């Protein structure tokens, strides 16, 4: 359990704690368009959010502290490296007199897992600080800090289904049906940097043709069914799946386990891995699939829920 704050300050706040959920982000598709000359990768991804989340509390005060609890707290690493702490510090540098406080992070999502756990935590911290300080969520300083904290933080700030492009800064809202799902992580971290290195793009190299870049994918509109969405998603892919599997072959085992369940319509890796997901026709099938995988692989992290 790690804490950090200003030396010599021990101010007890009587304010009520503010609470935010940091929902897991799932990349339903992920196309790597190319690598910029500055080294960043241009992406196009259909992003949904799951009903599993870390939980972040903030008791407003004059100092900044962070305490981690929960089943996966030991995986969080040094407090000073936590994105919650980083986001709060960066916002404090931009907003004079920013009211900070004591954060408590209940960590239940696996780390380095391709579901934006740390990014979702940072985004939740920014939402909490915005509430504590009367800042709008579209405040330019808040958006600036989100981008600087991490590529997935802007999309997690709004936590709504969208098409995410660029390096994560351009978001086009989507209307997704509630899709029953099972998410599985083998409890083996896969660093994003390693996966992009395994992809092997040179600076300035395009992975797709110019025509592909110009033509935008037409995704199903408002009111589309799960079947329509699965059909559209199946025609796309995750370009990071193959390089991630070369780094951690267990990802292939996770996908096989999901595909071996009854009723899995589409199984795919999220983000840079190693978390994979499957979409099901209904919640009963998703629950049965989840139970089957938990029995066969008790060491894996498994969640049955809904994407939307």
């Amino acid at each position: 359990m790690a804490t950090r704050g200003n030396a010599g300050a021990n101010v007890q706040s009587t304010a009520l704690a503010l609470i935010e959920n940091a929902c897991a982000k799932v990349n339903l598709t992920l196309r790597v368009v190319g690598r910029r000359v500055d080294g960043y990768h241009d992406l196009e991804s259909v992003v949904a959010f799951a009903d599993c989340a870390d939980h972040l509390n903030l008791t407003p005060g004059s100092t900044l502290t962070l305490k981690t609890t929960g089943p996966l707290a030991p995986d969080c690493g040094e407090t000073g490296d936590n994105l919650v702490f980083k986001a709060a510090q960066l916002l404090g540098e931009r907003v004079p007199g920013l009211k900070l406080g004591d954060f408590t992070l209940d960590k239940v999502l696996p780390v380095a897992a391709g579901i934006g756990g740390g990014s979702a935590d940072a985004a939740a911290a920014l939402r909490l600080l915005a509430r504590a300080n009367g800042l709008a969520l579209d405040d330019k300083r808040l958006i600036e800090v989100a981008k600087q904290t991490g590529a997935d933080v802007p999309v997690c700030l709004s936590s709504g289904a969208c098409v995410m492009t660029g390096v994560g800064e351009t978001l086009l809202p989507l209307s997704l049906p509630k899709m029953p799902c099972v998410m599985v992580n083998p409890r083996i971290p896969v660093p994003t940097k390693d996966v992009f290195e395994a992809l092997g793009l040179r600076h300035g190299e395009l992975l797709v043709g110019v025509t592909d870049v110009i033509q935008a994918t037409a995704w199903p509109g408002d009111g589309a069914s799960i079947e329509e969405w699965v059909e559209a998603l199946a025609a796309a892919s995750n370009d990071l799946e193959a390089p991630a599997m070369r780094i951690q072959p267990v990802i292939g085992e996770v996908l096989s386990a999901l595909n071996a369940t009854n009723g899995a319509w589409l199984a795919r890796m999220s983000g840079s891995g190693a978390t994979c997901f499957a979409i099901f026709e209904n919640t009963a099938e998703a629950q049965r699939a989840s139970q089957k995988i938990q029995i066969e692989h008790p060491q894996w992290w498994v969640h049955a829920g809904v994407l939307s």
Side-chain angles (χ1 to χ4, degrees):
M1 191 179 294
T3 60
R4 182 180 173 113
N6 292 342
N10 187 23
V11 180
Q12 296 296 318
S13 172
T14 57
L16 293 175
L18 304 174
I19 303 169
E20 282 281 342
N21 289 332
C23 294
K25 168 217 59 135
V26 174
N27 299 92
L28 299 177
T29 70
L30 200 162
R31 182 172 72 154
V32 181
V33 176
R35 191 175 188 184
R36 300 179 179 185
V37 292
D38 61 8
Y40 289 98
H41 290 78
D42 274 316
L43 309 174
E44 181 185 291
S45 177
V46 175
V47 177
F49 285 84
D51 57 353
C52 53
D54 291 335
H55 310 287
L56 188 66
N57 293 1
L58 171 64
T59 302
S62 58
T63 62
L64 173 61
T65 68
L66 172 63
K67 178 174 67 176
T68 53
T69 63
L72 298 184
D75 297 340
C76 287
E78 292 295 323
T79 303
D81 297 329
N82 193 289
L83 293 186
V84 167
F85 207 79
K86 180 181 178 181
Q89 286 181 314
L90 288 172
L91 191 61
E93 293 169 5
R94 284 164 177 75
V95 181
L98 184 75
K99 184 187 296 181
L100 297 167
D102 304 321
F103 284 103
T104 301
L105 174 62
D106 181 29
K107 190 67 181 171
V108 299
L109 299 177
V111 302
I115 53 175
S119 297
D121 297 341
L126 291 176
R127 291 195 299 271
L128 286 169
L129 289 171
R131 287 166 59 188
N133 290 274
L135 301 176
L137 284 182
D138 60 356
D139 188 298
K140 289 182 180 178
R141 296 166 295 183
L142 208 69
I143 303 299
E144 224 176 72
V145 167
K147 291 177 182 177
Q148 191 174 348
T149 305
D152 280 338
V153 180
V155 71
C156 291
L157 192 60
S158 57
S159 287
C162 66
V163 176
M164 179 178 70
T165 56
V167 293
E169 78 282 9
T170 305
L171 309 173
L172 178 65
L174 283 176
S175 177
L176 283 179
K178 291 187 180 298
M179 298 188 287
C181 77
V182 174
M183 298 166 60
V184 180
N185 182 277
R187 297 296 301 273
I188 296 175
V190 180
T192 300
K193 181 183 176 184
D194 293 353
V195 176
F196 276 105
E197 284 180 359
L199 189 63
L201 290 185
R202 299 182 302 275
H203 289 219
E205 182 181 357
L206 285 177
L207 190 61
V208 297
V210 175
T211 305
D212 294 327
V213 176
I214 294 171
Q215 293 175 341
T217 304
W219 297 106
D222 293 357
S225 65
I226 297 176
E227 291 92 335
E228 289 172 298
W229 266 101
V230 168
E231 184 179 351
L233 294 170
S237 63
N238 181 343
D239 290 341
L240 297 182
E241 200 170 283
M245 267 197 274
R246 290 197 295 271
I247 293 171
Q248 285 295 350
V250 69
I251 294 169
E253 296 177 33
V254 174
L255 288 170
S256 294
L258 285 166
N259 279 315
T261 60
N262 291 324
W265 279 358
L266 173 72
R268 181 169 289 161
M269 188 184 82
S270 174
S272 56
T275 303
C276 300
F277 66 92
I279 297 172
F280 291 79
E281 182 179 3
N282 56 61
T283 54
E285 286 185 336
Q287 287 288 349
R288 285 192 291 269
S290 166
Q291 291 165 3
K292 178 178 185 289
I293 293 173
Q294 283 180 320
I295 291 169
E296 294 174 352
H297 303 276
Q299 75 278 21
W300 289 359
W301 177 89
V302 182
H303 171 77
V306 174
L307 298 174
S308 60

